[in-house]
Amino acid sequence: MKTNGYNYIKKLQIEIIAIVLFFSLIPLFALGSFLYFQFTQTYTQKVTNNLRTIVDNKKKALDMFFEERVSQLKTIAYTHSYKELSDEDYIRSLLSAVQSSSNSLIDLGIINSDGEQVAYTGHYNLKGVNYKNELWFHEVMFKEVYISDVFMGFRRFPHFIIAVMRKEEGSFWILRATIDSNIFNLLVQSVQIAEKGDAYLLNSENILQTPSRFGKQVMEPSDFPKTPLFTGTTVRENFSEQNRMIVGMSWLEKKNWLLVVSEDPTEAMTPLFRTRTMVILLIALGVMLIVTGAYIVSRSIIRELIRSERQKAALDANLVQSSKMAALGKLAAGVAHELNNPLALIKESAGWLKDLLEEEEPDKIANFKEIEKTVNKIDLHVERAKSVTHRMLGFGRRFEPVSEDTDLNKVAEQTLSFLENEALHRNIAIEKDYLENLPSVKSDSAQIQQVILNITDNAIDAVGKNGTVRMKTGYDPKKEEVFLEISDTGPGIPKEDLDKIFDPFYTTKTSGEGTGLGLSVSYSIIEKLGGRILVDSTRGKGSVFTVCLPVRSEK
Ligand SMILES: Nc1ncnc2c1ncn2[C@@H]1O[C@H](COP(=O)(O)OP(=O)(O)OP(=O)(O)O)[C@@H](O)[C@H]1O
Ligand SMILES: [Mg+2]
């Protein structure tokens, strides 16, 4: 009943690994992807909100800028008369006073109701220029405050103006100032955006009012889609095909210009990508750990299983041997018992014959010598037959083993004393290797002696002449067993015969020399004592018989 290659165990191992992997990897992946998506969402939201805040703040700053300039001009207009301001020297000193606190105004001009610039101070010689036909002139008349788009005007460079109107004595006049584009551009672009980010203003016609950091110059039409007026701040993603951008925009309140701030999402999302790589690495590590763990766990389970499987197989083999012995033992005992009576009768009759012969005179009987010899032969062979039946009875008998402190070293030594003469005679060396302080066992020393005798007898028989028989005792603390190893340098036992040597009546010796009962009797004795007999044999090198006995007897 040998199981060659525990195939089903391999399958079981794969099953265990599969189940462990299934139940641990699914939650791991679920958790990993949940965390990742949650993080992506939160992070995108954070980036969007961040941009929204930047746009909001910038819009407020720009509105504030306009409001401050307008109120500055209004203050000048309403605290001075037309006459005072028409004096060029006066407005020159006024401009330098204003510039000392903020240099965003680069010139000042006073324009009368006919559109003529009556006084001017600044870099350009614009005195006497007439603005009557300019669009802004009409608009400032209408609205009282006016902020222009960026234009070239008479100066031939992009600028924009702020103008306020004051009514005085039935007429009106206009105070007009030019805003330094550079300072204004810097104000727009000083937002905290990464390398590829951009910030600019567009008017309602989609014309750039401040330069874009990449490509387009001021006053050029922008590629940015035309956006209708709305309130508040919007953040959108992906406008053009080539470069993905997140864009925040907001219309200014003081002037209908659209503030556009864009950011490269890959730049903004770098920490996100780093996190993603980290998550993937961690999951990979987790998978590796789980796979290794599953393998180790399954391997130790499988090992345990194989071990118990082997034990079971050994037990099964023992059981088969025991039942075989039990059945044959009974038979043998029965036969021996039946044979004993006739043998006793034959022996008695032979004895009677001998007695009768002694009373006769040998000369008177023709074949006296022959008859005497035959009677002796009968006696001898009956004696031999009786020794066989005696052993058979011993084998079948259910002896009750005694339990006494037994020193295996001592028993082995005693047994050897019976055999030493024989060994010497055959030039067989007997080596002894006894373990000192061998734990004693509670067992039946007479029975053990019988077993050692049988096995050593066989060893000497196997060696024949000129060889070695070795006795070794030892202790196995793991199994809590003492053992006696009897090895010989005989011819060994063929593998196919190893199963048979414990069978009753199995012998390779000629009839008269061996009964084939030695080992089977030994087997049943050791079994009853709770121990085991193991054989190991190599053809041509010899055999090793090991008798193991438990230190603590179960019963
Ligand atoms: N040490 C050994 N080396 C080689 N063969 C062995 C050895 N011990 C036993 N055998 C084989 O096992 C057989 C059975 O041994 P067992 O002791 O049961 O019977 P036996 O020795 O033949 O007869 P008996 O012991 O009754 O005189 C032997 O005949 C022999 O073939
Ligand atoms: Mg024998």
Side-chain angles (χ1 to χ4, degrees):
M1 227 185 43
K2 267 181 204 156
T3 344
N4 46 1
Y6 295 95
N7 271 339
Y8 82 98
I9 288 183
K10 266 261 163 307
K11 241 173 77 187
L12 192 70
Q13 181 171 24
I14 291 168
E15 254 173 49
I16 293 173
I17 293 179
I19 288 170
V20 171
L21 290 188
F22 181 80
F23 282 105
S24 36
L25 288 187
I26 282 186
L28 182 73
F29 282 130
L31 188 72
S33 35
F34 172 75
L35 284 181
Y36 179 68
F37 286 119
Q38 198 67 20
F39 182 79
T40 312
Q41 219 176 27
T42 317
Y43 193 80
T44 317
Q45 224 159 46
K46 206 195 114 196
V47 169
T48 312
N49 287 344
N50 196 30
L51 188 62
R52 189 187 303 278
T53 314
I54 288 175
V55 173
D56 262 350
N57 290 344
K58 182 60 33 180
K59 168 208 162 126
K60 274 182 199 139
L62 291 172
D63 275 332
M64 181 86 85
F65 177 87
F66 285 128
E67 199 166 305
E68 275 174 6
R69 297 306 143 239
V70 168
S71 72
Q72 219 169 18
L73 290 182
K74 269 190 175 165
T75 312
I76 296 171
Y78 281 89
T79 52
H80 297 85
S81 66
Y82 175 67
K83 224 172 147 207
E84 280 172 310
L85 293 178
S86 305
D87 177 356
E88 216 150 77
D89 286 337
Y90 185 75
I91 56 168
R92 188 173 303 120
S93 61
L94 206 60
L95 180 63
S96 59
V98 169
Q99 280 177 337
S100 67
S101 62
S102 149
N103 53 0
S104 54
L105 299 186
I106 48 175
D107 65 6
L108 276 179
I110 308 295
I111 296 148
N112 67 16
S113 53
D114 293 329
E116 188 190 340
Q117 185 144 268
V118 292
Y120 173 83
T121 177
H123 291 301
Y124 304 91
N125 187 14
L126 295 176
K127 194 175 169 200
V129 173
N130 196 303
Y131 291 107
K132 194 168 186 166
N133 294 326
E134 295 294 318
L135 208 68
W136 66 266
F137 182 76
H138 296 279
E139 223 163 299
V140 76
M141 274 164 51
F142 186 60
K143 286 184 188 162
E144 294 190 7
V145 173
Y146 173 73
I147 301 169
S148 75
D149 281 349
V150 173
F151 64 108
M152 288 298 198
F154 295 107
R155 298 155 208 246
R156 303 282 155 237
F157 94 87
H159 64 286
F160 70 94
I161 59 147
I162 299 178
V164 295
M165 185 197 82
R166 183 176 167 195
K167 290 185 180 136
E168 201 183 330
E169 295 163 2
S171 183
F172 69 89
W173 51 274
I174 293 165
L175 175 62
R176 186 205 53 85
T178 302
I179 304 294
D180 184 338
S181 289
N182 286 335
I183 289 185
F184 189 72
N185 292 350
L186 282 179
L187 183 68
V188 172
Q189 286 180 351
S190 68
V191 282
Q192 282 182 321
I193 41 177
E195 265 175 61
K196 287 191 192 157
D198 202 353
Y200 49 84
L201 288 166
L202 296 174
N203 71 2
S204 49
E205 258 72 62
N206 235 27
I207 305 293
L208 281 161
Q209 301 299 300
T210 61
S212 153
R213 262 171 89 187
F214 305 102
K216 299 261 172 168
Q217 286 306 313
V218 66
M219 293 187 69
E220 282 181 38
S222 163
D223 298 334
F224 197 75
K226 209 165 166 185
T227 316
L229 219 71
F230 63 87
T231 51
T233 302
T234 322
V235 175
R236 271 193 234 155
E237 219 190 311
N238 204 6
F239 273 91
S240 72
E241 293 293 305
Q242 312 96 334
N243 51 340
R244 274 188 65 215
M245 285 280 174
I246 22 172
V247 182
M249 52 203 159
S250 186
W251 285 97
L252 303 189
E253 276 166 26
K254 301 294 169 191
K255 169 75 192 163
N256 60 338
W257 284 353
L258 180 69
L259 170 66
V260 181
V261 179
S262 63
E263 249 187 309
D264 183 353
T266 48
E267 253 175 338
M269 302 281 182
T270 309
L272 180 70
F273 297 139
R274 223 175 285 142
T275 309
R276 184 177 62 185
T277 320
M278 201 69 193
V279 167
I280 290 170
L281 277 179
L282 280 178
I283 288 184
L285 192 77
V287 169
M288 249 161 60
L289 281 178
I290 288 171
V291 170
T292 320
Y295 178 71
I296 290 172
V297 166
S298 71
R299 202 179 52 174
S300 77
I301 292 174
I302 292 313
R303 266 198 198 147
E304 196 52 37
L305 209 70
I306 288 177
R307 210 175 59 85
S308 68
E309 196 70 13
R310 288 220 174 104
Q311 247 168 16
K312 208 182 118 225
L315 271 177
D316 281 351
N318 265 349
L319 208 69
V320 169
Q321 183 68 14
S322 312
S323 54
K324 205 151 66 175
M325 303 279 284
L328 282 166
K330 255 185 219 158
L331 183 73
V335 171
H337 187 78
E338 286 304 311
L339 282 178
N340 255 356
N341 289 339
L343 280 175
L345 251 162
I346 293 168
K347 192 169 167 66
E348 210 182 287
S349 305
W352 180 232
L353 258 178
K354 255 200 225 174
D355 289 349
L356 285 180
L357 273 178
E358 265 167 32
E359 284 168 20
E360 295 297 325
E361 280 172 39
D363 306 336
K364 282 192 180 161
I365 299 172
N367 294 316
F368 185 86
K369 279 265 177 245
E370 210 45 43
I371 292 167
E372 195 184 32
K373 219 170 116 189
T374 309
V375 169
N376 280 338
K377 244 186 190 164
I378 291 172
D379 198 39
L380 185 81
H381 286 283
V382 166
E383 203 50 49
R384 241 186 72 196
K386 273 188 85 175
S387 90
V388 172
T389 55
H390 182 73
R391 281 188 100 167
M392 279 164 71
L393 274 173
F395 165 67
R397 193 173 58 219
R398 292 182 168 272
F399 75 97
E400 265 319 306
V402 295
S403 180
E404 64 206 349
D405 278 332
T406 307
D407 179 355
L408 199 58
N409 286 344
K410 223 186 219 166
V411 182
E413 193 54 32
Q414 274 173 8
T415 316
L416 275 184
S417 66
F418 298 122
L419 297 166
E420 261 159 353
N421 269 338
E422 169 93 12
L424 200 69
H425 186 64
R426 298 213 213 170
N427 194 28
I428 292 173
I430 294 192
E431 283 179 9
K432 299 166 191 175
D433 179 6
Y434 298 141
L435 179 74
E436 270 180 63
N437 302 321
L438 191 71
S440 67
V441 286
K442 279 255 178 267
S443 203
D444 188 327
S445 52
Q447 299 291 339
I448 293 171
Q449 196 170 52
Q450 180 67 52
V451 171
I452 298 173
L453 199 66
N454 286 347
I455 294 174
T456 318
D457 240 353
N458 285 347
I460 288 172
D461 279 349
V463 173
K465 259 184 185 171
N466 308 325
T468 312
V469 171
R470 193 161 167 267
M471 310 280 273
K472 181 189 170 182
T473 54
Y475 174 60
D476 182 346
K478 248 198 223 156
K479 293 181 184 153
E480 296 194 320
E481 277 178 351
V482 292
F483 60 87
L484 169 68
E485 222 175 73
I486 301 165
S487 35
D488 64 64
T489 54
I493 305 162
K495 249 201 169 69
E496 61 273 17
D497 291 345
L498 273 178
D499 284 349
K500 295 183 230 157
I501 57 170
F502 291 104
D503 288 351
F505 306 112
Y506 172 80
T507 180
T508 53
K509 294 168 191 171
T510 49
S511 70
E513 241 183 83
T515 60
L517 285 173
L519 282 181
S520 60
V521 169
S522 303
Y523 189 95
S524 65
I525 290 174
I526 293 300
E527 195 191 28
K528 269 182 196 140
L529 295 177
R532 305 173 290 147
I533 300 183
L534 312 171
V535 209
D536 189 21
S537 187
T538 316
R539 285 296 306 263
K541 282 204 170 159
S543 316
V544 184
F545 282 75
T546 312
V547 179
C548 307
L549 290 166
V551 171
R552 268 189 277 149
S553 62
E554 260 91 78
K555 285 178 198 164

